[in-house]
Structure formats: structure tokens, C-alpha cells
């Protein structure tokens, strides 16, 4: 079961009042700014209006050498190869550098590996460059991890190398004419959070000498790649992306115009969040489905005739990507239904056969979101090797977890929240055990998924004025998350399916105030709360338009029964998982009374499948308004499951429970969990 901790920011009303007065701000906006650690009037002006900082590419180590070597290649008509990456960051970086050099009459080629080729430049790519008569290779969004042997091979073939990258460099840099990476320790730049496209953009600024002209020409691509790579929108990035969004929304670049039209947002101004949800998945779909070439060709298109069919191709690829992604999640659910013990692991590591490598990261992110814990998804190959991708929650280093099992991997890389790896098929169980052993040792109490709530709102405070004030916080993205609000004690009046049942519209009320809210990716059958319940909801305020009329739309991020003690619920779910891992002795009250077991089983037998949250189940089996402990109900469910009386599918937020055909009288006291709770079973698996 997943439950997210609601982290409600403490309010600094005194500072907010001071900012409202001195900066002539709306008090609500001033209060929101204080939740973002803004305390001084100067910080308010910088955050809301921004200061257009001078673009200084030479603050980065080796930038002058890189620009000079590229300038010599242009002057000498040397053949240049741009080597990029298959994601949006790498593709936009390749597109802007290739387009600029081509416009200068350069003899320039590009090469983008397919995901199946692996990340980065390798021996076949170097051989290709030499065969094409290349004299200078420029990497974008890659290259910093070139091995000494690969860099020496480039030099031995008579080629020079310029590396532009934004991933953390090794202690020994690749042998090259220049290595431009903002994370080099000898860089003088204060601003280091750049995307790969940001580094390539700065190289063009250095080469051209007119940074503002380069920004005017390529700010749309810079914005697209930076948002897609989830780079923090703070400091100079905030200023560039704020201005870049205006360029992107007004862009006449045929590829972007066609892509916006294909995505259904051709005439609408997009926020950073809109770019992340509407545009970047379609560009990424090409590389994820095997061939990034259509996406790069789209970005380089010079006419509508060329761009439109490419945008439509990406739209089809994205639809296929979504369909296959759902198939992977369905397969994972079936595996977890058959092996529920996997779900009590600290790190969920799950494998399947033949899943596309490009979709593993998306699947891992979905599972991480669904279950509120780190997740690794691996695809077993026919060659005996499995490729995997993982995602984590803040506070748990997935990179360190996999590094602890490095001896089991053929290669791995990443950072705290995301990682990739390759491992032999037969070593997957050992890898699962190793990362969980690391988690148990390093994180006795696992970090939990959190929702950061800015402010509590009364329902009558939800209006267009608030929405307009929120728009002053744009761009919203990494480092500057969308504000969330808690609205309490709302009655759920009605549930209406949307988009054929894929999403829901909820009607909520308190007193005379009625609100409409949308809950995405949940069907009516899976929705965990019945009409008539009183709930607390965590929402984001968003703009919706119908026939040209703007209105406030509430997007539900989480909800809970108003009488739920969430701290106790969080604690009980964590204790149940520890109990299932046999890490603790049972707490008092864990063993369910027989009348609770009877009420629970009777409830579940009334329908072919019961669907709901733990909170809903607690309410359903309550007696005289007294809610049982979640730990007790969870133990009761597990005992009934172990006895073969029910089948349980844990979908994170929602439980799907179905009664099993009767197989004779079941002895609940003989189940492993009952025996363990009573102290009759002490081995780690709870087997007698």
C-alpha cells in the first residue's frame, strides 16, 4: 500500500505581511513566496520579474579552446561530426549546433545512436567518423564518460575531439582539444545546473560572439531541452526559460509548430509544465521506440510540408509507446499479484521478458509513483543479459544501492533518483537481494513519498484571482514545484467518468460552496471513496477553458477521509511491511479478532471484486463508528489471503480484492502470519 506523507509548510505570516507591504504584493502571493524561502524584497523582484543576466560562456573551463577549435574547423572547411544523444536534451542540442554550423556553410554531419546501441560514443561510432573523413568530433549531451582507449582511438585516427556535456566528469578528463562541462571543479561559473543543450547553446554564444542573437534564434530549442531534462529552473535557468517560453509559444520553427498542432495545443500558450507533458513525450517517443531520427528531422525541418508528416509519425509513436507501457504495467501487476511478497521489499525490483529498453524508465517511474518506494524494472534478453532502469524517491540513493551490488552488474550509472544497469539474467535474484540488503542497512527507516503542501485553503477562496496570482510563479518545474493546497472537510457529491472512464470528475461541496475537481488515471471502479463521504483533498489550481471562457480547474493529487489519522496510518503500513519482512515482533493489536475477520470476509464475499483504499476498508468494517487499526486490517487481509480465501491485488493507492472459490474449511490459525504473530513461527519466511 502506498500512502504519501502530507508535508504542510509552516506559514511565516509576519514575513509575508512585510513583503506584501514593501513590495505592494497581494497578501496571498506574498505568503506563497515565503513558502519558497523568499524573505527579502530584492529576492521578490528577482523571482517575479527576473534580471536578464549577461550570457557569459567564457566562465566555463575550456570554452575559449572549444570555440577556437571549432572556428578553425569552419575556416578550414574541415568535416565536422556532431555526436548527440537520443533523448530530447541530446536531440535539441544536436539540432541547434547542426543548424547553426550548416547556416555558416560548414561541412557538417550528425550521428545519434539508437538506444539499443547503448549510451554514448563507442568504437563503431569512431570508426564511422573516420570512414566519413571527419576531422573534428563535437559531442553534445554526452562524451564526458569516454574511456581513455576511446579518446586515444579518436586521436590515433587523426581526428580532434571537443566534448560538451553536463554529466558529472570523472577525475581524469577524456583526452580532447576541449572539454566543456559545467561540473568541472576548475570552472569559474557560478551557474552549473545546465542541460546538455544549455552547454551547446553557450558554445554557440562563444563562437558567434552575440549571445542574445543566438538566444533569439535558438531559445525555443534551449527551453524544450532544458525542461525535458528536468533541470532546476532556478538562477540563470529561471530567467532563460521564462524568456524562452515566450519564444517557444511564438515559435515559427516548422517542426515545433507541427508538433504543437499534432499534440492538440497549437494555439494555446504552454507553461513549462505544459511543455513537459505535451511536447517532450512525443519527441522522446522516437528514441524510446527505437529510432530517434524522425524527431531530429522534425526539429531541423524547414517547411510545413516536411514537418507535418514527421509530427504525425511522432504522435503515432507516442500512442504506441503509451500502449506498450500499459502492457508492461499490466504484466507487472500480474507478477505482483502472484508474488505479493515482492511488494513488501524496501526496493521493488521486478523483471520481465522482451520489454522495450526505452520504456523501462517510464515503467519504473510509474511503479515508484504507484507504490511510493524505489523501483527497478529489468527486461531479460534472449542473449542472457537484462537491461534495467530504476527510479527513486527523495532521500534514497538508488545509485548507491546499485553500486553496493556492482559486482553483479556488467555496467551501471546514474544518480540518486534515477539509474540504469545491465546484469546477467541469472543474477537478477541476487541483485534484488543485494539492493534490499543495502537498503536495510543504510535505511532502517525508509524515506517515504511526500506531497509538499503550500497553504490550506477554504473552499470559498478558490477563484480566478488566486489562479492569476499563481501564474506569477511561472515557470514551474524542477526546483520550483507547482504549489499544492489542502482543502478540508469536503463532501463528495458525485463522480463522473471522463475520456471513456480513464479519468474522473468529482463534485465536492461544503456549505453553499461547490467545487469541481479532476482525478486523472483512475476509473470509476478503482476510485477509492464512495459518494457521501467527507474528505480532505490535496489539489493544484489550474486554468481550463471552454468556448473561450477561462475557469479554475482543481486537479486532485491526493485525498483522504477527513477523520483519518494519517500519521497512525503511515506508521501502521510501515509496520505491516516490516512484519511481513519478519524484521519486528508483532505489536499488540496486530492479530485480528475473529469477529473482524468474519466481518471482513463477509464484506468481500458480497461482490465479485471489492475495490478501495485501506481507509475505505477500515470504514467498511468499523463497528459503531470505531475504526480498527490499519495494521490489524492489513494482517487480517494477509491471513485470509494465505488461507486461500481471497486474492489481493495491491495497486498502490487501491486494493482489488476478490473471494476465491471455497476449497473446504480453512484453518486461519495455521497460516504463516498467524503463526508468526503468535510466536509459533520465527524463521524469516514465517514457514512452519
Amino acid at each position: 500500500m502506498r500512502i504519501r506523507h502530507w508535508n504542510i509548510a509552516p506559514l511565516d505570516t509576519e514575513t509575508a505581511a512585510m513583503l506584501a507591504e514593501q513590495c505592494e504584493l497581494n497578501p496571498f502571493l506574498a505568503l506563497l513566496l515565503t513558502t519558497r524561502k523568499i524573505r527579502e524584497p530584492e529576492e521578490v523582484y528577482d523571482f517575479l520579474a527576473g534580471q536578464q543576466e549577461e550570457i557569459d560562456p567564457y566562465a566555463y573551463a575550456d570554452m575559449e579552446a572549444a570555440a577556437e577549435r571549432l572556428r578553425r574547423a569552419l575556416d578550414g572547411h574541415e568535416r565536422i561530426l556532431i555526436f548527440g544523444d537520443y533523448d530530447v536534451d541530446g536531440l535539441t542540442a544536436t539540432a541547434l549546433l547542426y543548424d547553426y554550423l550548416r547556416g555558416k556553410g560548414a561541412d557538417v554531419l550528425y550521428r545519434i545512436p539508437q538506444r539499443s546501441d547503448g549510451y554514448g560514443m563507442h568504437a563503431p561510432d569512431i570508426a564511422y567518423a573516420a570512414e566519413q573523413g571527419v576531422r573534428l568530433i563535437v559531442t553534445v549531451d554526452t562524451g564526458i564518460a569516454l574511456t581513455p582507449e576511446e579518446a586515444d582511438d579518436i586521436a590515433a585516427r587523426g581526428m580532434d575531439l571537443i566534448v560538451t556535456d553536463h554529466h558529472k566528469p570523472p577525475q581524469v578528463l577524456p583526452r580532447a582539444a576541449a572539454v566543456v562541462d559545467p561540473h568541472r571543479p576548475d570552472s569559474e561559473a557560478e551557474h552549473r545546473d545546465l542541460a546538455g543543450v544549455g552547454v551547446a547553446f553557450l558554445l554557440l554564444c562563444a563562437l558567434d560572439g552575440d549571445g542574445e542573437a543566438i538566444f533569439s534564434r535558438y531559445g525555443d530549442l534551449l527551453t524544450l531541452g532544458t525542461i525535458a531534462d528536468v533541470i532546476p529552473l532556478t538562477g540563470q535557468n529561471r530567467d532563460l526559460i521564462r524568456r524562452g517560453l515566450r519564444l517557444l509559444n511564438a515559435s515559427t520553427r516548422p517542426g515545433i509548430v507541427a508538433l504543437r498542432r499534432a499534440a492538440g495545443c497549437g494555439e494555446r500558450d504552454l507553461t513549462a509544465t505544459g511543455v513537459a507533458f505535451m511536447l517532450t513525450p512525443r519527441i522522446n517517443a522516437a528514441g524510446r521506440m527505437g529510432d530517434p531520427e524522425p524527431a531530429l528531422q522534425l526539429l531541423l525541418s524547414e517547411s510545413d510540408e516536411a514537418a507535418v508528416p514527421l509530427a504525425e509519425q511522432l504522435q503515432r509513436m507516442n500512442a504506441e509507446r503509451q500502449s506498450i507501457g500499459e502492457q508492461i504495467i499490466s504484466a507487472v501487476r500480474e507478477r505482483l499479484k502472484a508474488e505479493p511478497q515482492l511488494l513488501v521489499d524496501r526496493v521493488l525490483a521486478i523483471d520481465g521478458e522482451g520489454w522495450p529498453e526505452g520504456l523501462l524508465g517510464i515503467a519504473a517511474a510509474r511503479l515508484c509513483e504507484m507504490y511510493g518506494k524505489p523501483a527497478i524494472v529489468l527486461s531479460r534478453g534472449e542473449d542472457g543479459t537484462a537491461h534495467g532502469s530504476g527510479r527513486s524517491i527523495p532521500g534514497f540513493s538508488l545509485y548507491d544501492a546499485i553500486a553496493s551490488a556492482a559486482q553483479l552488474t556488467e555496467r551501471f550509472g546514474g544518480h540518486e533518483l534515477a539509474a540504469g544497469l545491465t546484469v546477467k539474467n541469472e543474477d537478477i535474484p541476487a541483485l534484488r537481494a543485494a539492493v534490499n540488503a543495502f537498503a536495510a542497512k543504510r535505511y532502517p527507516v525508509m524515506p517515504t513519498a511526500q506531497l509538499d503542501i503550500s497553504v490550506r485553503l477554504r473552499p470559498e477562496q478558490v477563484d480566478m484571482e488566486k489562479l492569476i496570482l499563481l501564474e506569477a510563479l511561472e515557470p514551474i518545474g524542477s526546483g520550483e514545484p507547482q504549489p499544492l493546497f489542502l482543502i478540508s472537510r469536503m463532501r463528495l457529491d458525485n463522480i463522473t467518468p471522463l475520456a471513456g472512464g480513464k479519468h474522473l470528475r468529482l463534485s465536492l461541496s461544503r456549505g453553499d460552496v461547490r467545487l469541481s475537481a479532476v482525478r486523472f488515471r483512475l476509473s470509476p471502479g478503482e476510485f477509492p471513496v464512495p459518494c457521501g463521504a467527507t474528505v480532505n483533498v490535496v489539489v493544484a489550481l489550474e486554468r481550463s477553458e471552454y468556448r473561450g471562457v477561462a475557469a479554475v480547474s482543481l486537479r486532485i493529487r491526493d485525498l483522504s477521509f477527513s477523520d483519518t489519522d494519517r500519521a497512525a496510518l503511515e506508521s501502521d503500513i510501515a509496520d505491516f511491511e516490516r512484519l511481513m519482512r519478519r524484521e519486528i515482533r508483532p505489536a499488540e493489536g496486530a492479530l485480528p479478532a475473529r469477529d473482524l475477520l468474519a466481518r471482513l470476509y463477509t464484506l468481500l464475499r458480497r461482490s465479485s471484486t471489492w475495490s478501495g483504499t485501506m481507509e475505505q476498508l477500515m470504514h467498511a468494517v468499523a463497528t459503531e463508528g470505531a475504526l480498527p487499526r490499519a495494521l490489524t486490517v492489513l494482517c487480517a487481509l494477509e491471513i485470509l489471503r494465505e488461507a486461500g480465501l481471497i486474492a489481493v491485488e495491491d495497486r498502490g493507492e487501491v486494493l482489488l480484492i476478490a473471494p476465491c472459490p471455497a476449497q473446504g474449511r480453512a484453518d486461519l490459525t495455521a497460516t504463516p502470519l498467524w503463526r508468526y504473530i503468535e510466536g509459533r513461527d520465527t524463521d524469516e519466511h514465517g514457514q512452519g
Side-chain angles (χ1 to χ4, degrees):
M1 288 292 309
R2 181 207 71 187
I3 181 168
R4 289 179 288 194
H5 177 71
W6 291 1
N7 183 31
I8 304 175
L11 297 182
D12 186 350
T13 54
E14 184 176 332
T15 300
M18 180 271 292
L19 294 178
E21 180 180 356
Q22 294 190 14
C23 302
E24 298 182 348
L25 288 179
N26 179 284
F28 178 73
L29 179 57
L31 191 61
L32 285 179
L33 291 175
T34 64
T35 67
R36 295 178 180 244
K37 312 302 182 187
I38 294 174
R39 298 287 183 269
E40 302 296 333
E42 294 78 10
E43 295 173 329
V44 171
Y45 298 131
D46 287 348
F47 185 86
L48 294 180
Q51 293 186 354
Q52 186 170 323
E53 300 180 27
E54 181 181 353
I55 299 172
D56 181 14
Y58 293 108
Y60 298 88
D62 269 9
M63 185 65 81
E64 187 171 357
E68 177 56 30
R69 180 62 188 91
L70 196 50
R71 195 172 289 116
R72 282 198 288 116
L74 277 168
D75 293 341
H77 301 288
E78 299 177 49
R79 176 159 284 190
I80 303 167
L81 174 69
I82 302 168
F83 189 90
D85 190 29
Y86 40 69
D87 67 2
V88 180
D89 187 17
L91 293 171
T92 51
T94 302
L96 70 83
L97 189 55
Y98 179 82
D99 183 79
Y100 179 88
L101 294 178
R102 183 177 57 178
K104 293 294 182 182
D107 183 3
V108 59
L109 311 171
Y110 65 77
R111 184 172 174 88
I112 305 291
Q114 296 196 0
R115 195 175 289 264
S116 58
D117 298 329
Y119 174 77
M121 177 182 286
H122 300 293
D125 305 305
I126 297 169
Y128 167 82
E131 291 166 3
Q132 296 298 317
V134 168
R135 296 293 304 280
L136 175 64
I137 298 173
V138 183
T139 71
V140 291
D141 191 32
T142 187
I144 200 70
L146 277 167
T147 66
E149 293 77 16
E150 290 165 339
D152 287 345
D153 188 19
I154 291 172
R157 294 174 181 267
M159 296 181 289
D160 282 345
L161 172 67
I162 295 173
V163 172
T164 75
D165 203 346
H166 70 124
H167 299 96
K168 290 192 175 180
Q171 289 187 338
V172 179
L173 298 176
R175 175 184 176 186
V179 177
V180 183
D181 189 309
H183 295 291
R184 282 183 56 167
D186 56 342
S187 177
E188 297 177 357
E190 294 182 7
H191 183 63
R192 295 174 182 258
D193 286 327
L194 297 173
V197 68
V199 183
F201 164 76
L202 289 175
L203 175 58
L204 284 190
C205 292
L207 182 65
D208 188 85
D210 188 343
E212 282 305 315
I214 295 298
F215 181 79
S216 296
R217 185 170 172 185
Y218 296 112
D220 54 351
L221 296 180
L222 171 67
T223 299
L224 192 54
T226 300
I227 291 173
D229 223 50
V230 200
I231 302 298
L233 301 184
T234 56
Q236 189 179 54
N237 275 345
R238 183 169 178 79
D239 172 56
L240 289 174
I241 300 309
R242 178 191 282 116
R243 294 195 289 140
L245 279 168
R246 292 196 289 268
L247 292 177
L248 189 147
N249 281 313
S251 179
T252 58
R253 194 180 302 277
I256 288 181
V257 172
L259 184 65
R260 286 168 58 91
R261 191 178 300 123
C265 56
E267 302 300 324
R268 191 167 81 242
D269 278 355
L270 292 176
T271 62
T273 303
V275 171
F277 280 94
M278 301 298 290
L279 302 187
T280 64
R282 288 164 170 81
I283 299 174
N284 261 333
R288 293 190 186 283
M289 298 307 295
D291 185 5
E293 182 68 20
L296 183 55
Q297 285 296 316
L298 176 74
L299 296 176
L300 293 171
S301 296
E302 297 180 339
S303 68
D304 291 342
E305 290 76 18
V308 168
L310 289 167
E312 291 173 349
Q313 183 180 357
L314 293 187
Q315 180 77 354
R316 292 191 296 271
M317 284 181 163
N318 191 50
E320 183 182 4
R321 187 268 304 172
Q322 291 173 320
S323 175
I324 296 176
E326 288 301 325
Q327 292 173 29
I328 294 174
I329 294 300
S330 294
V332 168
R333 285 172 171 167
E334 288 300 313
R335 173 79 180 278
L336 294 175
K337 187 176 179 180
E339 300 179 55
Q341 186 67 28
L342 291 173
L343 268 177
V344 300
D345 284 348
R346 283 177 163 82
V347 180
L348 174 59
I350 195 155
D351 58 287
E353 191 168 350
W355 294 337
E357 187 177 343
L359 302 186
L360 300 180
I362 294 177
R366 283 277 304 276
L367 294 176
C368 183
E369 168 69 16
M370 285 168 62
Y371 296 108
K373 61 176 61 182
I376 300 171
V377 179
L378 299 121
S379 178
R380 300 187 307 273
E382 294 180 356
D383 62 354
T385 299
H387 297 281
S389 187
R391 297 294 184 269
S392 189
I393 60 176
F396 184 92
S397 176
L398 190 60
Y399 177 87
D400 289 348
I402 296 174
S404 73
Q407 74 280 2
L408 295 170
T409 69
E410 296 193 349
R411 61 178 179 269
F412 73 95
H415 51 81
E416 178 177 328
L417 297 181
L421 69 156
T422 304
V423 61
K424 286 184 169 55
N425 289 347
E426 64 264 25
D427 288 334
I428 291 175
L431 176 79
R432 179 183 295 116
V435 296
N436 275 285
F438 166 87
K441 183 177 180 180
R442 180 75 67 87
Y443 302 90
V445 177
M446 283 288 288
T448 57
Q450 299 201 16
L451 279 181
D452 292 326
I453 298 170
S454 298
V455 178
R456 296 176 183 266
L457 285 182
R458 298 189 302 275
E460 61 268 21
Q461 292 177 308
V462 177
D463 54 29
M464 280 299 297
E465 181 187 22
K466 297 287 188 307
L467 186 64
I468 293 169
L469 291 170
L470 287 175
E471 290 172 352
L473 302 179
E474 293 288 348
I476 293 297
S478 175
E480 295 293 346
Q482 185 178 36
L484 300 179
F485 304 96
L486 175 61
I487 307 177
S488 302
R489 303 187 310 280
M490 301 297 294
R491 175 186 166 86
L492 177 59
D493 294 321
N494 195 29
I495 304 169
T496 305
L498 300 175
K502 295 180 180 178
H503 314 302
L504 300 174
R505 183 179 302 281
L506 310 181
S507 297
L508 303 164
S509 66
R510 191 170 97 192
D512 295 332
V513 181
R514 286 171 172 72
L515 299 176
S516 178
V518 175
R519 180 66 163 85
F520 288 109
R521 296 172 74 169
L522 208 62
S523 69
E526 294 173 324
F527 187 69
V529 179
C531 287
T534 302
V535 296
N536 300 338
V537 292
V538 180
V539 300
L541 274 59
E542 298 179 346
R543 178 184 291 267
S544 66
E545 290 191 14
Y546 181 69
R547 295 182 177 177
V549 178
V552 181
S553 174
L554 299 182
R555 180 162 65 92
I556 292 182
R557 295 291 303 276
D558 207 356
L559 80 165
S560 182
F561 284 82
S562 294
D563 60 356
T564 294
D565 182 340
R566 289 188 65 86
L569 183 59
E570 290 176 37
S571 177
D572 276 0
I573 290 175
D575 281 350
F576 174 73
E577 290 199 352
R578 295 174 67 198
L579 190 62
M580 291 297 294
R581 294 193 295 262
R582 304 304 194 251
E583 293 175 352
I584 59 173
R585 293 306 309 169
E588 184 178 351
L591 190 66
R594 291 185 178 273
D595 67 320
L596 173 63
L597 285 161
R599 290 199 308 276
L600 183 59
Y601 186 55
T602 300
L603 168 73
L604 299 176
R605 287 198 61 183
R606 289 174 184 165
S607 60
S608 58
T609 302
W610 185 92
S611 170
T613 63
M614 177 51 51
E615 292 178 77
Q616 188 175 351
L617 194 56
M618 290 161 61
H619 279 80
V621 296
T623 55
E624 299 179 356
L627 292 178
R629 284 186 60 184
L631 177 62
T632 311
V633 177
L634 284 166
C635 288
L637 277 179
E638 179 61 17
I639 288 168
L640 292 174
R641 189 196 67 80
E642 290 176 352
L645 296 176
I646 61 172
V648 181
E649 182 180 349
D650 185 345
R651 293 194 173 184
E653 183 177 2
V654 175
L655 294 172
L656 301 181
I657 311 171
C660 297
Q663 300 291 331
R665 186 175 180 82
D667 183 2
L668 301 184
T669 65
T671 59
L673 183 57
W674 190 297
R675 291 171 60 87
Y676 182 74
I677 292 174
E678 284 196 331
R680 293 185 288 135
D681 224 345
T682 56
D683 73 289
E684 64 172 327
H685 298 294
Q687 301 297 317

